[in-house]
Amino acid sequence: MNSFFKQVLATCLGILLFCIVVGLLGALSLVGMIASMQSTKRVPDGSVLVLNLSGQLNERSEDNVISALTGREDTSLGLDDVLMALEKAKDNDRVKGIYMECGMFGSDSYASLNAIRRAITECRKAGKWVIAYADTYTQGTYYLASAADEVYLNPQGQVDWHGLAAEPYFLKDLLAKFGVKMQVAKVGTYKSAVEPFTATSMSDANREQITEYINGIWNEIVKSVSADRHVSADSLNSWADQLITFDAPEQYVKKGLVDSLVYTDGMKNIVCKRLDIDTEDRIPLIGVHDMCHAKGKRKGGETIAVYYAYGEVVDGMAGNPTRSSGVIDAQRVCKDLKQLADDEDVKAVVLRVNSPGGSAYASEQIWHAIRMLKGKKPVVVSMGGMAASGGYYISAAADYIVAEPLTLTGSIGIFGMFPDASQLLTEKLGVHFDVVKTNAHSDFGTLSRPFSPEEMSYLDAYIDRGYRLFRSRVAEGRKMSEADVEKLAQGRVWLGKQALSKRLVDKLGGMDVAVQKAAELAHLGDDWRTRSYPAKRTWWEQLTEGEAVDNYLNTRLQGMLGDYFQPFQLLKRFDTHTAVQTALPYIPNIK
C-alpha cells in the first residue's frame, strides 16, 4: 500500500512539475512573440514596402495579443500605422518602392483615404516607384491606386466606378409597429440626427447638405484621378453613369484606368524589373507593421503630445471607466488632458479628433479640459474623417485647427430625443397605470404617458439654452461674433475645404501640418519629437483586463458586418446614451 501511495505522489509531482515547465515555456514564448512584434526591424537594402489594403481602416491601430497568439491575421489597419510606414519608407534609402495590393478594403472616410493618397504622392516625389495590383478594385482602393506610377488588374478583374451615394435609414415606421415613437426637442434646421427616428425620408434641408458634401467629395476624387491617370473629368463622370464596373477588363486598359492586365504571378516579374534583379532572386518585402518598427530619423528635443480622440463622445463607459477603446470617454479624456497639462516635458499638444459627436454634457466637460490645457501650452486640433457636432464642440477650444479637405465638420446644433413607449405598454401589452402626485409635473418622464405640450416647451427651452452655449463656445474659440457663427450653424455640415473659407478651421492638411504648427506655437524650432497618447495597452493588460478578447471579437465582427458594424455598435450602446446630444447620424452612409 505504501508503494502505491508513493507512486501516486510521484506521479502527481511529475504532472505538477510538467505543468510548471510547460507554463514557463509558454510564458517565455508569449513574451518572445510580443517582443518580436515590438522590436526594431532592420530594413534590407532594395526593400519594397507592401501596402496590403484589405479589411477595415480605423483611425488608430490596436495591437491585439489574441491575434498574435492564434496566428490569425488582423483584418484592420490603423491610419496612424499606414501614414507612419509611408513616411519612414519615403525617407529610407533602402526602400526602393511601394507595392499596393488592393483587396476588399473599407475606410472610415474618404478623408482618411485622401491622407493616404497624399502620402503615396509624397513617396513618388521622393523618388520611390509605386505600383498597384488588384483582382478587383473597390472605388476607394482605385482612388488610392490611381496615385501609383502603374496600375495593374487581374485579366478577369473589375474596377468599381459608380460615383457616390448617401443612403440614410429610417426607423419611424418600424418603431410604430411596436407602439414606440420619439419625442424630439432640437435646434438646427440641418440637425438631421433625429430623422431616422422621426421621419421616413430626408428633410429638404438635410437633402441639401448631403447633396452638397457628397458632390464635394466626389469632385475631389474625380479631380485627383483625372490628374494622375490623365483622363478627363467629363469622361470619368460619364463612365460612372455608364456603370463601367461591369465592363470587360480590356476596356479599362483602353480607357486608361489601368495600365495592363496581369495575373498575380506576373507581378513578381514587374517588381523584379523595377528592382533590376533576376526573377529567381528573393524580393525583400517589408510590411506596414515592420516598417513602423524600423529605425527612422532620430528626433530628440522637446515632446509634442499627440492625443487620439476618436469615436462617439460619451459621459463614461459603465463598468469600465479606465478603458474605452473606440469612444471618447469624457471621464478618461479629461483626466488624461489634466496629466498632459501638468507634464513639464510636454510642450504642446496635438488633439487628433475623428468623431461625429455624442453627449452634450461630455462635450462640454472636454471643452473645459482643453481650455484649461490651452492655458498652459499650445493646443492644435488635427481633424480626421469627422469632427462634427460634439467633435467640433471640443475642437473649438483649441488655439489652431487643421482639417483634411474632405473632413465632415461643423454641425453646430443640439437635440434631445426621448422615447415614448406608452402605446407599447398600454395598447400592445395591456399594461395600465394610475398615479397620485403632489405637483403638476411630479410624474414627468414616466413610461405611462408622453410629454405634455407644457413639458415639451420646457424641454425646448432647455435645448435652446444648450444650443446658445454651443454657439458661444464656437464664437469664443474662433474669435467670431455669435451672429456670424449663427450663419454657419443650425446643424449644417461642411467639408473641411468649405470650413476653411468660413473660418471654422485655420488650415487644410494632415497630422504632419498640425504637429508642425504645434512646434511653431511652442517655439521649438526643429528640436522636437512626438509621443502618442493615450498609451496603448500592454499585452499583459489586454489579457488581464479582458480588452484583448473584446478587441479581437470586435475586429472579427467588423470584418463580417462591414458597413453594418457601426449601426450595431450604436444599438448596443443605445441604453447608455444621454438624452441630450450634439451628434451627427453615426453613419453618413456614403457609398
Side-chain angles (χ1 to χ4, degrees), residues 41-47 85-97 123 126-128 286 290-291 294-297:
K41 304 294 181 180
R42 181 181 178 276
V43 180
D45 193 25
S47 288
L86 288 168
E87 177 68 19
K88 286 191 173 184
K90 176 174 71 73
D91 296 331
N92 194 317
D93 293 336
R94 290 176 172 269
V95 177
K96 303 304 178 185
C123 286
K128 312 295 181 183
I286 184 167
D290 287 346
M291 193 72 235
K295 288 184 179 179
K297 289 182 178 179

Side-chain angles (χ1 to χ4, degrees), residues 520-559:
E520 177 188 324
L521 292 176
H523 308 291
L524 301 181
D526 295 326
D527 190 23
W528 51 268
R529 62 179 177 173
T530 61
R531 180 174 296 169
S532 296
Y533 296 85
K536 295 181 181 179
R537 298 303 240 192
T538 66
W539 63 270
W540 179 251
E541 288 172 328
Q542 289 184 48
L543 288 174
T544 56
E545 296 177 13
E547 181 196 346
V549 175
D550 290 343
N551 285 348
Y552 177 78
L553 292 176
N554 279 337
T555 297
R556 307 309 299 181
L557 193 60
Q558 189 174 23

Side-chain angles (χ1 to χ4, degrees), residues 97-231:
I98 298 168
Y99 177 64
M100 299 168 60
E101 191 170 31
C102 302
M104 299 306 292
F105 185 56
S107 173
D108 65 334
S109 67
Y110 272 96
S112 296
L113 294 180
N114 182 253
I116 296 174
R117 198 179 193 281
R118 192 168 58 241
I120 291 169
T121 300
E122 290 301 312
C123 286
R124 287 182 63 189
K125 290 179 180 178
K128 312 295 181 183
W129 52 260
V130 183
I131 59 177
Y133 177 82
D135 291 327
T136 297
Y137 287 102
T138 66
Q139 194 161 257
T141 55
Y142 184 76
Y143 174 54
L144 295 179
S146 64
D149 295 292
E150 295 173 359
V151 179
Y152 295 93
L153 177 68
N154 184 301
Q156 301 302 319
Q158 285 182 316
V159 176
D160 189 10
W161 189 256
H162 60 269
L164 295 181
E167 190 179 19
Y169 49 85
F170 298 90
L171 306 175
K172 178 185 175 183
D173 286 351
L174 173 64
L175 294 174
K177 292 180 184 297
F178 294 94
V180 177
K181 64 180 180 180
M182 290 295 180
Q183 305 168 101
V184 171
K186 77 180 182 79
V187 179
T189 304
Y190 296 91
K191 201 67 183 174
S192 58
V194 300
E195 287 186 4
F197 303 96
T198 62
T200 56
S201 62
M202 286 181 273
S203 64
D204 291 341
N206 192 27
R207 186 177 298 277
E208 176 191 345
Q209 71 175 347
I210 291 177
T211 299
E212 185 168 341
Y213 71 64
I214 69 167
N215 275 297
I217 295 171
W218 177 245
N219 290 338
E220 184 67 30
I221 293 169
V222 169
K223 177 183 174 182
S224 299
V225 174
S226 174
D228 285 330
R229 294 304 302 173
H230 308 292
V231 176

Side-chain angles (χ1 to χ4, degrees), residues 452-509:
S452 69
E454 184 180 2
E455 288 166 341
M456 282 303 303
S457 70
Y458 294 143
L459 286 172
D460 286 335
Y462 179 69
I463 295 299
D464 186 62
R465 187 165 71 248
Y467 174 69
R468 293 197 305 272
L469 178 64
F470 190 172
R471 190 177 60 194
S472 70
R473 298 307 192 207
V474 174
E476 177 187 333
R478 301 306 302 161
K479 297 178 174 59
M480 300 167 65
S481 69
E482 289 197 36
D484 286 340
V485 173
E486 178 63 18
K487 295 174 185 177
L488 309 172
Q490 290 292 318
R492 182 70 181 263
V493 178
W494 307 98
L495 287 179
K497 56 187 179 181
Q498 296 172 312
L500 177 65
S501 65
K502 300 180 185 304
R503 296 168 56 199
L504 293 177
V505 305
D506 297 292
K507 194 170 184 177
L508 298 182

Side-chain angles (χ1 to χ4, degrees), residues 280-562:
E280 290 79 14
D281 294 338
R282 183 176 179 274
I283 302 172
L285 304 176
I286 184 167
V288 167
H289 182 273
D290 287 346
M291 193 72 235
C292 287
H293 288 85
K295 288 184 179 179
K297 289 182 178 179
R298 287 192 175 183
K299 300 196 75 172
E302 306 290 359
T303 298
I304 297 174
V306 176
Y307 191 92
Y308 285 87
Y310 57 98
E312 185 184 4
V313 181
V314 298
D315 293 290
M317 298 301 290
N320 190 8
T322 63
R323 183 62 185 171
S324 48
S325 178
V327 297
I328 302 175
D329 182 343
Q331 294 180 17
R332 183 184 183 196
V333 172
C334 290
K335 179 181 177 182
D336 289 347
L337 295 182
K338 175 67 166 59
Q339 290 176 346
L340 290 176
D342 295 338
D343 190 337
E344 295 182 358
D345 293 331
V346 173
K347 303 303 180 184
V349 177
V350 173
L351 185 70
R352 174 66 174 186
V353 178
N354 188 353
S355 171
S359 166
Y361 308 123
S363 299
E364 171 69 11
Q365 291 285 359
I366 297 171
W367 175 88
H368 176 72
I370 293 172
R371 196 164 177 267
M372 294 298 99
L373 173 63
K374 189 175 70 170
K376 293 188 174 183
K377 55 198 66 175
V379 180
V380 176
V381 162
S382 169
M383 291 180 169
M386 285 184 277
S389 207
Y392 189 77
Y393 196 127
I394 66 177
S395 300
D399 293 292
Y400 199 84
I401 300 177
V402 178
E404 290 284 351
L406 303 183
T407 298
L408 296 181
T409 190
S411 190
I412 302 166
I414 189 170
F415 68 90
M417 189 161 58
F418 311 87
D420 169 24
S422 58
Q423 188 180 11
L424 168 65
L425 295 170
T426 58
E427 297 183 19
K428 304 287 185 180
L429 300 180
V431 179
H432 299 281
F433 298 88
D434 205 347
V435 62
V436 174
K437 56 186 182 181
T438 61
N439 297 89
H441 305 291
S442 296
D443 60 342
F444 174 75
T446 178
L447 294 175
S448 64
R449 64 172 178 83
F451 296 143
S452 69
E454 184 180 2
E455 288 166 341
M456 282 303 303
S457 70
Y458 294 143
L459 286 172
D460 286 335
Y462 179 69
I463 295 299
D464 186 62
R465 187 165 71 248
Y467 174 69
R468 293 197 305 272
L469 178 64
F470 190 172
R471 190 177 60 194
S472 70
R473 298 307 192 207
V474 174
E476 177 187 333
R478 301 306 302 161
K479 297 178 174 59
M480 300 167 65
S481 69
E482 289 197 36
D484 286 340
V485 173
E486 178 63 18
K487 295 174 185 177
L488 309 172
Q490 290 292 318
R492 182 70 181 263
V493 178
W494 307 98
L495 287 179
K497 56 187 179 181
Q498 296 172 312
L500 177 65
S501 65
K502 300 180 185 304
R503 296 168 56 199
L504 293 177
V505 305
D506 297 292
K507 194 170 184 177
L508 298 182
M511 180 77 80
D512 55 334
V513 175
V515 170
Q516 190 62 52
K517 183 63 182 181
E520 177 188 324
L521 292 176
H523 308 291
L524 301 181
D526 295 326
D527 190 23
W528 51 268
R529 62 179 177 173
T530 61
R531 180 174 296 169
S532 296
Y533 296 85
K536 295 181 181 179
R537 298 303 240 192
T538 66
W539 63 270
W540 179 251
E541 288 172 328
Q542 289 184 48
L543 288 174
T544 56
E545 296 177 13
E547 181 196 346
V549 175
D550 290 343
N551 285 348
Y552 177 78
L553 292 176
N554 279 337
T555 297
R556 307 309 299 181
L557 193 60
Q558 189 174 23
M560 289 187 292
L561 295 179

Side-chain angles (χ1 to χ4, degrees), residues 20-79:
I20 292 173
V21 171
V22 170
L24 287 173
L25 289 174
L28 289 173
S29 299
L30 177 60
V31 171
M33 288 171 63
I34 304 301
S36 66
M37 290 168 57
Q38 299 176 343
S39 62
T40 301
K41 304 294 181 180
R42 181 181 178 276
V43 180
D45 193 25
S47 288
V48 176
L49 171 63
V50 178
L51 286 184
N52 187 356
L53 300 177
S54 60
Q56 180 66 35
L57 180 69
N58 297 317
E59 179 63 39
R60 195 181 186 196
S61 64
E62 294 281 353
D63 293 330
N64 192 279
V65 67
I66 299 296
S67 294
L69 290 173
T70 59
R72 299 194 67 171
E73 185 178 353
D74 199 340
T75 57
S76 65
L77 274 177
L79 177 63

